[in-house]
């Protein structure tokens, strides 16, 4: 690790259920308003869960031609749109030295939804599948499309780490810059799994809330009444730059990506370690990388899925890392739902916005914690104002993948 190489965030782009532009996204989070709503198709199919959090419609031709749109699955399209917004925000439309610009994308279930749709439509006549089938189901399609769009000739990599994928892509992008390999990386995550098979699969394993009569109250991170997550979708991207590169071109620096920690529970294919010990160690790795003490963190953006055991394990991890008087804790999935591989990137944007502004959003639907979830300082009811300070965000994925990132105001 070389702390002399600082990594600046110079652009942001989001396509999420909370909004398709950064300000709209931040405002919705600050309101603590759930975006979950009934999905008519799920009702008609008689699914056990009939609601989800979806990205509001926006004009696709602002980003791609209609011909290109037919060749893209939804996850890749959302990625291209969010990445394009981030590049525009960074005023980096065409790289001066394309070999020094890269792309990293996190995606958890790449190819699942387009494959599901293809089976539904062409399952009884596979010989007639469209010619663009392969580009639509490629898990690396998002990274490739972004690279093509901006002319980035550095590495274009895809990371599949379940729900830690987006955060992994951002952390690994930072390492690419620190190593000297790249000057700029467009980094983020994407996912679009609001589909019958995906929703039913998670529902069957007992991971999803079944509050079909009240979707907006369904996801309840750290609350005593939590009963599972809500499926979401979305994409979020950051433009990361070597600090000197950003300064040389006169870029606006939004925040600094300061720390990255990653480890594995090595415990169970889907369940977290109940004591949260390895997750706590992951947070400590990120803090050490950022050269910060726990007391210097202004708030924690928790993974907070709203599931019984994950929230309990994370609460224990936060207490183990920060102590009984730890910083305020927020968890955006009560508003956004769980966008799987995109979640870490979406929540990275939320974290850095709060680190810079000092506005920590409330956890939607939280009233009171139970057991160890009552030991953390969950922001509830309304947004809390704190001094602009470094903030830490967690992403924990099936398979035991743990990632923590630290962002700091400039």
């Amino acid at each position: 690790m070389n702390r002399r190489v600082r990594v600046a965030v110079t652009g942001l782009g989001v396509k999420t259920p909370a909004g398709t532009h950064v300000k709209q996204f931040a405002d919705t989070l600050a309101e603590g308003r759930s975006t979950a709503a009934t999905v008519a198709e799920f009702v008609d199919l008689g699914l056990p869960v009939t609601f989800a959090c979806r990205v509001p419609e926006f004009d696709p031709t602002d980003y791609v031609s209609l011909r290109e749109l037919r060749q893209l699955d939804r996850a890749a399209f959302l990625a291209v749109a969010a990445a394009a917004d981030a590049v525009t925000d960074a005023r980096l439309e065409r790289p001066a030295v394309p070999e020094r610009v890269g792309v990293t994308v996190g995606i958890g279930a790449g190819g699942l939804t387009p494959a599901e749709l293809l089976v539904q439509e062409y399952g009884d006549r596979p010989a007639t599948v469209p010619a663009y089938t392969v580009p639509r189901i490629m898990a690396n399609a998002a990274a490739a499309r972004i690279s093509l769009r901006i002319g980035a000739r550095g590495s274009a990599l895809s990371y599949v780490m379940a729900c830690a994928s987006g955060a992994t892509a951002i952390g690994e992008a930072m390492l690419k810059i620190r190593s000297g390999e790249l000057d700029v990386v467009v980094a983020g995550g994407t996912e679009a799994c609001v589909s019958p098979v995906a929703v039913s699969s998670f529902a069957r394993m007992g991971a999803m809330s079944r509050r079909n009569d009240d979707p907006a109250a369904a996801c309840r991170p750290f609350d005593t009444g939590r009963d599972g997550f809500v499926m979401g979708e979305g994409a979020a991207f950051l433009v990361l730059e070597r600090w000197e590169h950003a300064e040389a071109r006169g870029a606006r620096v939004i925040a600094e990506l300061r720390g990255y920690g990653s480890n594995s529970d090595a415990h169970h294919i889907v369940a977290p370690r109940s004591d949260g010990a390895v997750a706590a160690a992951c947070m400590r790795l990120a803090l050490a990388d950022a050269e910060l003490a726990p007391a210097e963190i202004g708030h924690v953006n928790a993974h907070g899925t709203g599931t019984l055991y994950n929230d309990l394990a994370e609460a224990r991890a936060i207490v183990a890392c920060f102590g009984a008087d730890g910083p305020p804790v927020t968890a955006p999935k009560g508003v956004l739902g769980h966008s799987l591989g995109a979640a870490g990137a979406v929540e990275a944007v939320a974290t850095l916005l709060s680190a810079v502004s000092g506005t920590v959003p409330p956890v939607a639907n939280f009233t009171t914690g139970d057991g160890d979830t009552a030991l953390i300082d969950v922001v509830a009811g309304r947004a809390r104002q704190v001094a602009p300070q470094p903030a830490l965000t967690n992403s924990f994925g099936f398979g035991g993948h743990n990632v923590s990132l630290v962002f700091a105001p400039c």
Side-chain angles (χ1 to χ4, degrees):
M1 187 275 288
N2 186 352
R3 281 291 301 130
R4 289 175 296 177
V5 179
R6 299 177 68 189
V7 177
V9 181
T10 59
L12 302 173
V14 297
K15 299 297 176 191
T16 78
T20 57
H21 300 285
V22 171
K23 185 179 185 307
Q24 182 186 27
F25 168 75
D27 288 347
T28 304
L29 288 180
E31 292 171 10
R33 173 171 50 86
S34 173
T35 60
T38 299
V39 179
E41 178 192 6
F42 294 175
V43 175
D44 294 341
L45 290 171
L47 300 191
V49 172
T50 57
F51 56 94
C53 296
R54 306 176 99 170
V55 176
E57 292 301 320
F58 59 95
D59 188 351
T61 61
D62 287 344
Y63 301 96
V64 297
S65 68
L66 292 177
R67 180 176 180 275
E68 288 176 296
L69 189 61
R70 288 193 293 270
Q71 298 172 0
L72 292 167
D73 82 290
R74 183 164 175 79
F77 166 64
L78 292 174
V80 168
D85 284 352
V87 169
T88 297
D89 189 40
R91 297 176 177 83
L92 192 76
E93 292 299 332
R94 300 301 295 184
V97 185
E99 292 78 11
R100 301 284 299 172
V101 180
V103 177
T104 59
V105 179
I107 186 165
L112 172 63
T113 303
E116 178 183 345
L117 295 173
L118 284 163
V119 169
Q120 289 173 356
E121 189 165 353
Y122 300 99
D124 59 346
R125 46 193 178 96
T128 65
V129 296
Y132 50 75
T133 294
V134 171
R136 284 177 63 88
I137 64 175
M138 288 166 30
N140 64 307
R145 292 285 184 177
I146 294 167
S147 179
L148 282 166
R149 181 184 177 94
I150 67 174
R153 295 181 187 169
S155 55
L157 303 175
S158 301
Y159 294 90
V160 182
M161 311 289 286
C163 306
S165 300
T168 300
I170 293 168
E172 293 297 315
M174 181 177 72
L175 298 184
K176 289 280 186 183
I177 294 171
R178 281 184 178 174
S179 74
E181 178 183 338
L182 298 171
D183 293 323
V184 180
V185 183
V186 180
T190 189
E191 200 84 89
C193 280
V194 179
S195 73
V197 167
V199 168
S200 294
S201 297
F202 281 102
R204 291 271 293 172
M205 67 186 300
M208 298 190 72
S209 172
R210 300 203 179 201
R211 287 187 170 90
N212 292 320
D213 58 339
D214 192 6
C219 188
R220 313 176 71 86
F222 300 112
D223 187 74
T224 187
R226 66 191 183 278
D227 69 333
F229 74 84
V230 175
M231 184 65 76
E233 62 176 2
F237 281 81
L238 299 76
V239 175
L240 305 178
E241 293 189 51
R242 184 169 51 84
W243 198 275
E244 292 79 6
H245 183 275
E247 287 185 327
R249 70 178 188 87
R252 173 199 56 156
V253 176
I254 303 168
E256 180 180 1
L257 174 55
R258 189 154 169 173
Y260 169 45
S262 175
N263 65 12
S264 176
D265 277 356
H267 169 70
H268 191 277
I269 196 62
V270 294
R273 275 183 59 119
S274 61
D275 61 5
V278 182
C282 183
M283 288 184 260
R284 293 189 191 104
L285 287 172
L287 291 170
D289 189 39
E291 298 181 343
L292 292 169
E296 295 177 274
I297 295 297
H299 80 279
V300 172
N301 186 300
H303 186 61
T305 58
T307 54
L308 184 62
Y309 297 112
N310 288 70
D311 285 6
L312 188 61
E314 185 172 12
R316 289 169 176 162
I318 291 170
V319 171
C321 181
F322 292 97
D325 297 320
V329 176
T330 188
K333 290 182 180 69
V335 173
L336 301 164
H338 191 353
S339 55
L340 307 182
V346 172
E347 292 167 23
V349 174
T351 304
L352 76 86
L353 291 173
S354 293
V356 170
S357 69
T359 300
V360 183
V363 176
N365 302 314
F366 179 86
T367 302
T368 183
D370 61 324
D372 287 7
T373 73
L375 300 179
I376 57 175
D377 181 14
V378 176
V379 179
R382 64 180 64 184
R384 188 180 304 180
Q385 292 300 134
V386 300
Q389 297 171 76
L392 179 144
T393 180
N394 288 326
S395 294
F396 305 139
F398 278 1
H401 306 296
N402 303 318
V403 174
S404 296
L405 299 171
V406 176
F407 291 92
C410 301

